[in-house]
Amino acid sequence: MVTAGANNRKVWLLHWLAVVATAATFLLLAAGGAVTSLDVGMADTVWPTPPWYLLVLLRSGRALERGIGFLVEHAHRQVGWIVGMIVVVMAAAAWSRGVPRWLRWWSLALLVTVSVQGVLGGLRVLDVSRELAVVHGITAHLFFAACLLTALLTRPGRFERLLALEADTATLYQRMRTAVIASGLLFFQLVSGAILRHLGIWLGVHVLGAVAAALATMALGFGCFFMGDRPLFSARSWLLMIGAFGQVLLGASAWVSADGFGPYALGPITRTHAYSATAHMLLGSALWATTVTVLADLYLCLRGRWAASGSKAHVGLPGPVGNSA
C-alpha cells in the first residue's frame, strides 16, 4: 500500500501502468480463452515468433490464407508481447528513487511471472503438451489477479480509506473468512476448468464445485454490500453477486452446447460453445481476482487496526507499508 512518504507522481505513474496492464491482460485472457475454446493452440507450430510477425503476415495477405485459427493464435501471441512490454516499463519505473521497496520487488515479480508465462506458452507449442496448456492457463489467472491487485494497492489514499471503515473488527474477521473460502473455491474452479477444457476430464468435479463456489461468492458479495464504505466495496459486491449467477448460466450454456471436452470432443466446436466457454472462463477469472482484492483490503484494514492498537497479531505477516529508498 502506498504511504505518504512515497513519491506520489511516480506512484501514480505505476498505478496507471498497472491499470493498463490489467486491461491488456484481460484482453490476453480473452484471446487465450478463444484459442482454447476453438482448439487452435497448435495452429502454428513455430515458436518463438517476433512481435511484428502477425503484422507482416497480415500486410502480405498470407495470414488470411492460414485460416481463422492461425489469426486467433497469433492475436493471442501479439497481445502477450504487448502485456510483456507494459510490465517491462512498469518494472523499470518501479526501480527509481522515491518508490516503496515492496513495490519494486512486486513489479519485478510481475516481470518474472509474465516471462515464465510466455515460455510456458511456447513450450506448450513445441512439446504439443496439453498438460503444459493447463499450467499456462492457471498462471494467466494468477498474473491477472496480481495486476489488478497492483492497480488497487498503488492508488494513493486507499489505505487511509480502509482505516476509516466503520465496520467493527468482528465483522471484518467474518468477511475475511468468507473471502478466504470464496477465493479458494473460485481458484479451485479455475484449476478444474482448465483441466476440463484441455484434458477433457473432471466434468463432475467442476459442476459440483460450481455450486459451492457460487454460494460462497454470493455470500461474500452480500456481506461486502454492508461494509460501511459503499463506494469502496459496492461495485465489487454487485459484481460478485450478479457475476456468480451469470457464471452459473454461462457454465450451463457451455456444458449443454458441448459434445465432449478437450481431446474427448466428439463433434465440431459450435459457435455457441466457443462464446459461452470463453465468457465463462473470463468471468470466472474476474470473480476470483475480485475476491482476492476484497481479501487484501480486509487484511490491510485489520492490519492497520492491529498496528494502531499495538497488537502483535500482525508480526511476521507481509504488510502493505514499504520503506521508500
Side-chain angles (χ1 to χ4, degrees), residues 181-196:
I181 294 171
S183 62
L185 289 171
L186 283 171
F187 185 70
F188 177 78
Q189 284 301 100
L190 292 177
V191 173
S192 63
I195 291 173
L196 174 62

Side-chain angles (χ1 to χ4, degrees), residues 6-42:
N7 187 312
N8 279 340
R9 185 172 298 179
K10 292 180 179 179
V11 171
W12 267 112
L13 171 62
L14 289 170
H15 168 71
W16 284 109
L17 283 172
V19 170
V20 173
T22 302
T25 303
F26 190 77
L27 291 177
L28 182 58
L29 276 173
V35 168
T36 303
S37 298
L38 297 172
D39 197 21
V40 293
M42 296 303 299

